[in-house]
Structures are given as C-alpha cells and as structure tokens.
Amino acid sequence: MTDDDKVFAGSIPEIYDRYLVPLIFESFAEDLADRVAALVPKTLLEIAAGSGVVTRALAARLPESTSLTITDLNQPMLDQARLRQGLDDRITWQQADALNLPFEAGSFDTVCCQFGVMFFPDRIAGYREVRRVLKPGGSFLFNVWDRIEENAFARLVTEVAASIFPDGPPQFLARTPYGYHDAELVHQELQKAGFSQIFMETLERISAAPSPRHPAVAYCQGTPLRNEIEARDASLLDYVTEKASEAIAEHYGEGRIEAKIQGHVILATP
C-alpha cells in the first residue's frame, strides 16, 4: 500500500458515496449490521466508517440505549457520513487513526469495520488496538474483499487502466482493497494480535448498476485509483473512465447490468 491509497479527499467522498456505495457496499453493510445487532452491544465502535453506509444500517437496527462511536482517518469521509446520517444523539463522530485509537482500554462491547482493515499500514498493530479497546468478552466484526478476480467490475477497470498506462499500471484496486484476501493470512495476523477465536465466512453477492458508466465512474473517480491516474496524466481521467465504461459494456451490455462481487466476513474474539 502507498500513502496515497489512504487519501479520500476532494470530490472522491461524494462520488464514492453516490456511485460506489450502492454498487458494492450496501448489501455487505446490511449483512454486517445484522451480525452486529445480533450481538446486542451497549457500546459500539466503528472504524474506517467511510461515508457511513454501515453507520446508517446500524442506526436503523440498534436500540436507543446503544452508544455508537463512529470514526474514520479521513475527515472529509466522516463529514459525508455525518451529513447523510443526520442528527442522532446516540452517535459520536470522531476522526481517528485505527493504529492509535484515542480511547481507553476496555471501552467497547463490539468493534466493527467494513472493508477498512486493508488500508491499515500495519494490520497487526491495528488489530492490537481493536483488542485493547474491547471489553472482556467483546467481539470484532469486519469484512474484506476476496481477490480481484472474484470482483468483476473492479477487475475490468484495473485491466483498462493498465492498458492505458502500460509503463506504470495503476494497481490501487488490486493492491489494497482487493489485496488482503488470503484467509490463512487474516487468521495468522489476528492470532498475532491476540485473538483466539476466529470465524470466517465467504459471501457472494450481485453488484448491480443502472449503466456501464456507473461502475466506471465509481472506481476511476470515487476511489484513490483516481489519484494514481491523475499522477500519471490528469488530463486522461475522463478518457480512462470512458474506456472502462466501454469495456464493461462489451462484457455486460448496455442499460442495467449485473456482475459478481465476493468478500469474507470475519468474527474474532480475544
């Protein structure tokens, strides 16, 4: 992972929320929120909340007595999440680094994180921080994407970008969000951080979009892949987006389209 892989700023948060969230995140957010709600936490911490898709699902499921602390490294993403959520007295919003959480030990019943641990510069250190802030008997619920070959739109966009910049292919998607898919590695790193009970389930879902352009914009302009494209030639951002749209249309047709997405859901306890 590079430093730019963590930068969600400028117009990225709004495009991310408008295009990418309904494309790939909503169905997994509903699943994760259901799993969290089943634990009936009184104090919940969400790490790497992004633009708040899990937060909104949690708020709809958890009782008034639950206290929710919602964090993200990027303040612009947290601002987008807060704007979408609206006023909710149960929620505390706080910018926070997952590797240095500003909370006392044993503060939370449950910690959750949707597709965020892949962005930790040191995942074991991040997992240790989660373990530190969990109460005895607490639970850590999170998910990660499976390999990029199991996530069709992301794979196509990556291939198109690589064909346009063959001397320096933009690899953000394959490197970071889809780069932490090895179940054995996930288990090993959690164990090194002090988690003893680890359960993983693989979920396949369908990613639907109203047009081929929708996933092209989502990935090319609503993720740090945009930073990689613009670093190579900012004038080609729209061109890469259009070529990605054409490639998706060639494989999946015009109009409303669907493709496979796949991820892993993990429940870990110390």
Side-chain angles (χ1 to χ4, degrees):
M1 186 179 72
T2 70
D3 288 341
D4 285 345
D5 286 1
K6 300 180 291 182
V7 179
F8 288 74
S11 63
I12 289 178
E14 191 277 330
I15 296 173
Y16 173 102
D17 197 46
R18 180 180 176 186
Y19 288 89
L20 201 62
V21 165
L23 183 71
I24 62 172
F25 289 130
E26 282 184 348
S27 62
F28 280 94
E30 297 290 323
D31 173 81
L32 194 65
D34 283 341
R35 294 170 190 261
V36 170
L39 298 173
V40 197
K42 294 181 179 179
T43 52
L44 170 75
L45 171 65
E46 183 182 356
I47 298 171
S51 61
V53 62
V54 173
T55 308
R56 294 189 288 276
L58 289 168
R61 288 165 170 76
L62 296 175
E64 290 297 322
S65 58
T66 302
S67 171
L68 296 82
T69 301
I70 310 301
T71 69
D72 196 88
L73 179 65
N74 291 276
Q75 187 64 46
M77 293 292 276
L78 206 59
D79 292 342
Q80 181 71 21
R82 187 171 187 170
L83 178 66
R84 287 290 307 276
Q85 179 62 38
L87 184 63
D88 190 324
D89 292 338
R90 297 172 297 169
I91 298 177
T92 299
W93 305 91
Q94 186 167 346
Q95 189 275 338
D97 184 344
L99 272 61
N100 187 25
L101 293 171
F103 308 112
E104 297 292 331
S107 295
F108 302 98
D109 300 320
T110 302
V111 176
C112 70
C113 183
Q114 162 123 309
F115 298 119
V117 302
M118 305 90 76
F119 293 88
F120 293 0
D122 183 336
R123 287 186 297 269
I124 295 174
Y127 293 156
R128 285 177 177 148
E129 274 293 272
V130 170
R131 184 176 182 275
R132 181 184 67 80
V133 302
L134 275 175
K135 293 180 180 179
S139 300
F140 180 29
L141 262 169
F142 66 101
N143 48 23
V144 297
W145 291 116
D146 203 344
R147 60 197 187 106
I148 198 168
E149 289 81 5
E150 302 292 347
N151 293 273
F153 292 147
R155 176 184 58 79
L156 272 175
V157 170
T158 298
E159 290 174 355
V160 168
S163 71
I164 294 171
F165 299 103
D167 295 332
Q171 290 293 310
F172 163 73
L173 294 174
R175 178 178 61 245
T176 301
Y178 298 97
Y180 187 50
H181 52 77
D182 186 299
E184 183 176 349
L185 178 60
V186 175
H187 276 77
Q188 288 175 353
E189 293 188 339
L190 284 166
Q191 288 173 339
K192 288 179 181 178
F195 288 90
S196 58
Q197 301 294 320
I198 303 162
F199 305 93
M200 178 181 289
E201 180 181 353
T202 300
L203 297 181
E204 179 182 336
R205 293 289 187 266
I206 295 297
S207 177
S211 71
R213 181 168 174 77
H214 185 108
V217 172
Y219 285 112
C220 292
Q221 301 188 23
T223 76
L225 176 61
R226 176 177 188 152
N227 302 332
E228 285 195 307
I229 294 170
E230 292 184 329
R232 287 155 176 78
D233 189 335
S235 71
L236 292 181
L237 178 63
D238 288 339
Y239 176 76
V240 176
T241 304
E242 183 58 33
K243 288 300 180 183
S245 177
E246 291 175 3
I248 293 168
E250 181 179 348
H251 283 78
Y252 295 98
E254 301 288 351
R256 187 179 187 277
I257 55 173
E258 294 183 348
K260 175 185 174 181
I261 52 175
Q262 187 161 295
H264 307 302
V265 184
I266 300 96
L267 171 62
T269 56

